[in-house]
Amino acid sequence: MTEPTPGSRSSVARRWTGSVAAYEESFGELCAGTVAPLLAAAHLERSTGAGIRVLDAGTGTGSVAAVAASYGAEVTAVDSDEAMLAAASNRLPQATCLAADVTDLPFPDGRFDVVLANFVVNHLDDPRAGMAELSRVLVGDGAIALTIWASGPSVMNQLWDDVIVASDAVPPAAERLPADKDFARTAAGLSELVAGAGLVAVQVRTVEWLLRINPDRFWAGPAAGIAGIGSVVTAQTPQVQARMKQQYDRLVQPLLVASQLELPSWALLASARKPA
């Protein structure tokens, strides 16, 4: 499986720097599929958002923060990647955008009413420290919602696996997180991670959506080295990279509808509250 798997390091799974445009038109579109349910899980809606202090941790290009800001929330968006943060800043003139590591946030305890993290903790080198920080900056009785890619079969993961096998690509060796920092990328593992940060009323559910995207746009992400499949692509010789693209073009044919790739997608969504 080429997407983030239990124990894979963020340095392998995520290579955003210099690839913001490629990310935004490929995996950015994919990750946007959970924005609406993420905000709803934190009870952040257009009718309730005015004046709510929201942290969007690991904002990327700002898709979550943009919707929260449109609800009238007072949004702070953080990311450790300067290029991503610059893109978010351009998109979010009304928000505060800061360079920060999720495992070491520059905020006092209880600073935010709502904390959001869309596909962030699964990329951290220390997910438990990241969850502890997200909990620390949340006010008592505040809400948190986050998503992760889970281990297990999916149409996308099968597509990447088939591309690798068909092109005779050799994936680089995966580094693994220390057991005391890692968590199982399952519903039970995510629930334990969230509860372990002192949060209560933990709920974890599966979110499903259909990504419709031009297949060449979607390939732009792996070609730029983004995500687990990107680390495989960029580790190959130019000849093997070309073969991977050829096999991708062949293998996506059954998934095309009116020349668009239709990719059934799913992720885990956790919500919780901090004790008052």
Side-chain angles (χ1 to χ4, degrees):
M1 189 173 299
T2 56
E3 279 306 291
T5 55
S8 60
R9 282 192 181 275
S10 62
S11 56
V12 173
R14 189 178 75 167
R15 299 179 180 180
W16 309 138
T17 303
S19 306
V20 173
Y23 167 80
E24 198 159 21
E25 72 175 22
S26 58
F27 291 106
E29 288 289 318
L30 174 66
C31 295
T34 56
V35 172
L38 182 78
L39 271 65
H43 307 289
L44 187 63
E45 302 171 353
R46 191 173 301 278
S47 60
T48 62
I52 298 294
R53 300 171 301 167
V54 173
L55 173 66
D56 180 23
T59 190
T61 55
S63 58
V64 171
V67 178
S70 75
Y71 291 170
E74 177 191 303
V75 178
T76 299
V78 302
D79 203 283
S80 60
D81 185 273
E82 292 183 2
M84 283 287 191
L85 195 64
S89 297
N90 290 335
R91 184 177 190 173
L92 301 163
Q94 72 278 48
T96 299
C97 297
L98 299 173
D101 190 321
V102 173
T103 61
D104 186 20
L105 294 169
F107 308 112
D109 296 356
R111 170 65 177 82
F112 299 99
D113 304 305
V114 171
V115 170
L116 305 168
N118 199 33
F119 301 111
V120 175
V121 297
N122 52 298
H123 288 309
L124 298 177
D125 287 327
D126 192 343
R128 295 188 182 278
M131 275 304 312
E133 275 292 89
L134 296 178
S135 176
R136 180 185 66 79
V137 301
L138 185 62
V139 72
D141 204 36
I144 185 170
L146 60 133
T147 53
I148 68 164
W149 297 115
S151 57
S154 71
V155 175
M156 179 174 63
N157 287 340
Q158 189 62 57
L159 172 63
W160 299 144
D161 288 345
D162 291 346
V163 167
I164 291 169
V165 171
S167 61
D168 293 321
V170 179
E175 298 181 52
R176 303 194 68 82
L177 296 178
D180 62 333
K181 296 181 179 180
D182 204 10
F183 71 103
R185 275 30 174 209
T186 62
L190 180 57
S191 180
E192 184 273 331
L193 177 75
V194 175
L199 299 165
V200 297
V202 180
Q203 297 183 10
V204 177
R205 66 183 178 91
T206 298
V207 178
E208 299 180 356
W209 70 103
L210 182 68
L211 174 69
R212 297 192 76 253
I213 191 170
N214 178 284
D216 286 333
R217 284 182 58 196
F218 197 54
W219 181 256
I226 298 169
I229 183 60
S231 68
V232 178
V233 173
T234 55
Q236 312 304 311
T237 64
Q239 292 79 9
V240 176
Q241 290 184 26
R243 275 208 310 270
M244 292 185 78
K245 177 57 163 62
Q246 291 170 352
Q247 293 301 326
Y248 168 80
D249 289 341
R250 178 180 67 84
L251 290 164
V252 296
Q253 289 303 310
L255 301 173
L256 297 184
V257 177
S259 300
Q260 295 290 294
L261 171 60
E262 291 199 348
L263 195 67
S265 305
W266 70 278
L268 292 176
L269 167 62
S271 60
R273 302 196 74 85
K274 187 172 181 177

